[in-house]
Amino acid sequence: ISKMLHVFFNINTNRVFILNIKKQVSSLLDSDYENLKQKILSSDAIHIDETTVIINRRKHYVWVLTDMLHVIYLFRENRTTDFLKQLLDNFNGVLVSDFYSGYDSLDVLQQKCLIHLMRDINDLIFINQDNNELIFIGKLFGKLLNNIICTIERFGLKKYHLNKHLKDVESFYKKLHNFEFQTQLAKKLIKRFLKNKDVLFVFLSYNNVPW
């Protein structure tokens, strides 16, 4: 920033000056940050994710929370999710996340991102194209999801219309249960479906919760 100010505007500053400005602006924005946080916490669904940042050669984390209209970022020194228990204490909506195990300890309704699951299944099939059991699971899940998405495209994320697919989900799991899988990759994928059964299709029972 200091270099850009000099190059573009011939304003001479130094690193300490810029850091002091950032600190002052940060304190001025505290109330705006709190307002954004409260709007997000009062929404029907919160999307959450985290990414790494390197500071002084050490790995840290930045967490992002959004309701798709507002967004806040939180800096943390590690990847533990204990701080989220307090942050989400009064949140009554659905938390949409990836499959990071740190979220499992949170006492909130959760919807796991099905895009992540689709990607993982596609990667498995691409690497193991001769595994017919993986292909069978992929096609079965794809058919289920395709029918659900057709309903969403027609009516939106409304539980009144999505509830009908709960029986399709049960039928999907029955087919997985009744099939005798032989390969370890297929068995591992089935185990993942069973483990996450309660968090894969939560959006079918709530309004405005994305899949």
Side-chain angles (χ1 to χ4, degrees):
I1 295 173
S2 180
K3 288 179 180 178
M4 289 171 64
L5 285 172
H6 175 72
V7 170
F8 293 119
F9 304 106
N10 200 28
I11 297 174
N12 294 314
T13 61
N14 56 44
R15 185 174 181 272
V16 174
F17 178 78
I18 298 299
L19 290 175
N20 285 335
I21 289 178
K22 288 174 67 177
K23 187 175 181 180
Q24 291 174 37
V25 172
S26 175
S27 63
L28 289 173
L29 294 176
D30 277 348
S31 61
D32 292 319
Y33 179 86
E34 285 301 316
N35 287 335
L36 286 173
K37 184 170 73 174
Q38 292 309 315
K39 287 178 179 178
I40 292 171
L41 292 174
S42 63
S43 64
D44 293 324
I46 293 177
H47 297 255
I48 189 169
D49 203 359
E50 84 288 338
T51 189
T52 57
V53 291
I54 304 299
I55 299 175
N56 294 330
R57 298 182 181 179
R58 287 184 54 211
K59 183 185 289 187
H60 299 75
Y61 290 85
V62 172
W63 299 76
V64 56
L65 289 85
T66 179
D67 60 1
M68 304 306 288
L69 290 174
H70 315 93
V71 60
I72 59 172
Y73 298 89
L74 298 128
F75 173 79
R76 306 293 297 177
E77 292 190 352
N78 55 55
R79 204 185 180 193
T80 59
T81 55
D82 292 343
F83 76 100
L84 290 173
K85 294 178 182 178
Q86 182 177 355
L87 179 66
L88 300 172
D89 186 44
N90 295 316
F91 174 58
N92 297 314
V94 177
L95 189 70
V96 183
S97 73
D98 60 17
F99 289 84
Y100 171 45
S101 60
Y103 299 122
D104 295 344
S105 62
L106 302 179
D107 188 23
V108 294
L109 276 171
Q110 296 190 44
Q111 168 64 48
K112 295 303 180 184
C113 174
L114 298 187
I115 294 292
H116 281 76
L117 182 55
M118 289 168 56
R119 181 192 63 194
D120 293 345
I121 294 173
N122 287 337
D123 288 346
L124 271 175
I125 293 174
F126 183 77
I127 297 171
N128 304 275
Q129 296 184 27
D130 58 342
N131 190 320
N132 291 324
E133 292 182 342
L134 286 179
I135 294 172
F136 170 76
I137 298 170
K139 286 183 176 180
L140 204 62
F141 181 58
K143 183 179 179 181
L144 169 65
L145 203 52
N146 183 67
N147 291 336
I148 293 173
I149 292 172
C150 285
T151 299
I152 293 173
E153 288 181 343
R154 186 177 179 187
F155 299 108
L157 293 166
K158 303 299 180 184
K159 65 178 181 180
Y160 178 82
H161 297 286
L162 291 173
N163 268 337
K164 66 181 182 182
H165 292 292
L166 290 172
K167 62 181 182 181
D168 298 330
V169 172
E170 288 304 316
S171 176
F172 167 77
Y173 273 96
K174 277 185 181 180
K175 290 176 182 176
L176 293 184
H177 180 74
N178 292 333
F179 196 92
E180 292 278 338
F181 293 98
Q182 302 299 320
T183 64
Q184 289 302 312
L185 285 174
K187 289 180 180 179
K188 188 176 180 179
L189 182 55
I190 295 302
K191 186 177 180 180
R192 183 177 180 184
F193 269 109
L194 294 174
K195 176 188 175 184
N196 293 286
K197 183 178 180 181
D198 294 336
V199 291
L200 291 182
F201 300 98
V202 171
F203 71 99
L204 298 177
S205 302
Y206 293 87
N207 289 320
N208 304 317
V209 176
W211 55 276

